[in-house]
Amino acid sequence: MAQVTTNFATSIPGPVNFVLMETLLSAARKRLPYFNGTLPGKLEKAQGSASVKWRRIENLTAVTTSLTEAADGTTVAFGNGRTSVTPTITDVTVAIAKYGNAINLTEEVDLFNVNSNSAALMDTLGANAGESLNTLMRDVFNATTTLRRFSPNGNAGSAPAASYSSVANSISVNDIKWSVNQLNRNSAMRFTPAGFGSVNVGSQPIRQSYYGICHVDVEEDIRGLSGFIPVEQYGGYTETEPGEFGAVGGVRWCSTEIAPIISDGSTESAVATSYQGGSAILHHVYSSFIYGREAIGSIGLGENHAKEIYMMYDGVPTVEVIYHKPGSSGIADMFNEQGSLAWKSWFAGKVLNGNWVVKLQTLAGRY
């Protein structure tokens, strides 16, 4: 009886790429609040395009004229005399760019066994991928032009204070109300339906909401606002987003440590000393964002689940794990000692509708 050899490369498909891809995506997703609620673009390889397109069909004008019955004995015209309209279609495109990072490995790191070493490496790479993409997406949000600042001369939305140097207060309920009102006036779409609370479990109802993103310093100010509901008291089976900590004023808030800060940006003399900053007269200015559904478009972390094999025309995850085992480099690695583990991602982001996102520039309390 002939002996048959079973080897790892041929007969037993290695699970490492699949498992490590899942690990990387999981670690990266935890670091991506700036992707919450963004409209994903579709990236397809070998499609001859270096850009991503989002298409928006504008709302039609409300109809206020009734359809009347044709007069008796009249000749019926084409379409029975009715009229139609042509919808307005807006295409928004943005060029894509490629990012990535890698770790060189020695043969002593055995990635064919999904062990604690490989898991730790993938957590590190996943966190790096998430933080990198989140930073890029933050810059997209920061290009928002609808702005509200508070100064000693009062709040101004359509005509905000001329410079962030005059920002003079932390975030307030009125700031959130003004922002929500701007989105409502422009028919922005909310992300979440109402959630209903129960006195039996100590939860509270949550109104239909937009999303908000702020710095972790500003989070503490928001928690102190009147009407704030912490995430642990959300009513019903409410799904939450990464980094979400609570809701107030029709906005569900997430926080991140990389939100935009202008260090010592405020030089307003009327500011009290109880704010974050470098001195009694220099205070950091923080940018927070409130936005509706489809206000921002992104591509950077695919919604597709990782698979071992991708067929032609499959949409692939935009974050890829690339593993080269020791010995795969030919004469560049004569003793089969060096390998590498890397992530690579395509990224693009764009403000799709500037009327559906507001930037608030405020101070943050020092506690």
Side-chain angles (χ1 to χ4, degrees):
M1 180 178 178
Q3 295 186 5
V4 179
T5 299
T6 299
N7 64 31
F8 181 91
T10 304
S11 301
I12 306 177
V16 63
N17 288 338
F18 172 75
V19 173
L20 295 185
M21 170 68 94
E22 291 283 11
T23 303
L24 184 141
L25 292 177
S26 176
R29 188 70 184 102
K30 298 174 184 177
R31 307 296 185 102
L32 289 168
Y34 279 106
F35 282 77
N36 292 348
T38 58
L39 183 64
K42 186 176 182 181
L43 173 65
E44 294 183 350
K45 292 188 174 181
Q47 299 300 305
S49 175
S51 63
V52 179
K53 177 187 288 187
W54 293 268
R55 172 161 290 178
R56 183 174 72 244
I57 301 177
E58 306 292 351
N59 292 332
L60 301 178
T61 303
V63 176
T64 58
T65 303
S66 63
L67 298 174
T68 59
E69 182 182 9
D72 187 45
T74 58
T75 301
V76 177
F78 178 77
N80 201 26
R82 310 303 190 191
T83 60
S84 61
V85 297
T86 301
T88 300
I89 297 176
T90 302
D91 287 338
V92 180
T93 60
V94 63
I96 59 175
K98 184 167 58 177
Y99 300 86
N101 207 351
I103 296 174
N104 287 325
L105 307 168
T106 64
E107 61 180 330
E108 284 76 15
V109 181
D110 184 9
L111 288 181
F112 285 111
N113 296 312
V114 184
N115 52 31
S116 59
N117 289 332
S118 60
L121 288 172
M122 291 314 301
D123 277 339
T124 300
L125 280 174
N128 179 248
E131 290 171 357
S132 300
L133 296 172
N134 199 39
T135 301
L136 293 168
M137 201 64 208
R138 174 201 64 187
D139 295 339
V140 173
F141 272 82
N142 210 26
T144 299
T145 57
T146 303
L147 179 64
R148 178 180 172 93
R149 298 185 181 118
F150 180 94
S151 72
N153 297 322
N155 291 319
S158 58
S163 172
Y164 53 76
S165 63
S166 63
V167 172
N169 211 339
S170 57
I171 193 168
S172 68
V173 172
N174 283 339
D175 290 328
I176 298 174
K177 286 181 177 179
W178 183 91
S179 303
V180 169
N181 179 249
Q182 292 301 304
L183 270 59
N184 289 342
R185 288 165 62 94
N186 287 287
S187 303
M189 296 180 288
R190 294 176 176 84
F191 285 102
T192 59
F196 301 98
S198 171
V199 295
N200 296 329
V201 295
S203 60
Q204 301 184 54
I206 305 294
R207 61 190 272 193
Q208 290 182 309
S209 299
Y210 299 113
Y211 282 167
I213 303 177
C214 67
H215 193 274
V216 291
D217 291 348
V218 178
E219 173 186 344
E220 301 308 318
D221 295 325
I222 293 176
R223 286 182 178 273
L225 295 178
S226 175
F228 175 78
I229 302 173
V231 65
E232 58 269 22
Q233 294 182 17
Y234 283 4
Y237 297 94
T238 306
E239 184 178 359
T240 59
E241 294 290 338
E244 186 169 350
F245 63 88
V248 63
V251 179
R252 287 172 53 175
W253 288 93
C254 300
S255 64
T256 173
E257 68 276 13
I258 70 162
I261 302 177
I262 304 172
S263 296
D264 296 337
S266 174
T267 58
E268 179 55 55
S269 59
V271 175
T273 59
S274 58
Y275 292 105
Q276 300 282 354
S279 70
I281 59 173
L282 297 176
H283 299 89
H284 304 329
V285 176
Y286 297 79
S287 292
S288 305
F289 306 93
I290 296 175
Y291 58 103
R293 185 156 53 94
E294 299 186 9
I296 309 289
S298 68
I299 184 168
L301 187 65
E303 299 296 329
N304 297 17
H305 295 291
K307 298 187 292 186
E308 290 194 60
I309 300 174
Y310 291 94
M311 306 297 290
M312 185 179 294
Y313 306 120
D314 272 0
V316 300
T318 53
V319 178
E320 299 180 45
V321 172
I322 303 167
Y323 171 55
H324 295 293
K325 64 181 180 179
S328 61
S329 302
I331 61 172
D333 183 19
M334 292 181 289
F335 293 100
N336 292 351
E337 295 176 300
Q338 297 296 319
S340 65
L341 185 62
W343 69 267
K344 181 178 71 175
S345 175
W346 295 98
F347 171 81
K350 186 74 172 179
V351 176
L352 304 180
N353 191 329
N355 293 323
W356 292 355
V357 56
V358 174
K359 177 164 68 173
L360 301 173
Q361 288 192 317
T362 65
L363 306 183
R366 176 182 288 142
Y367 299 99

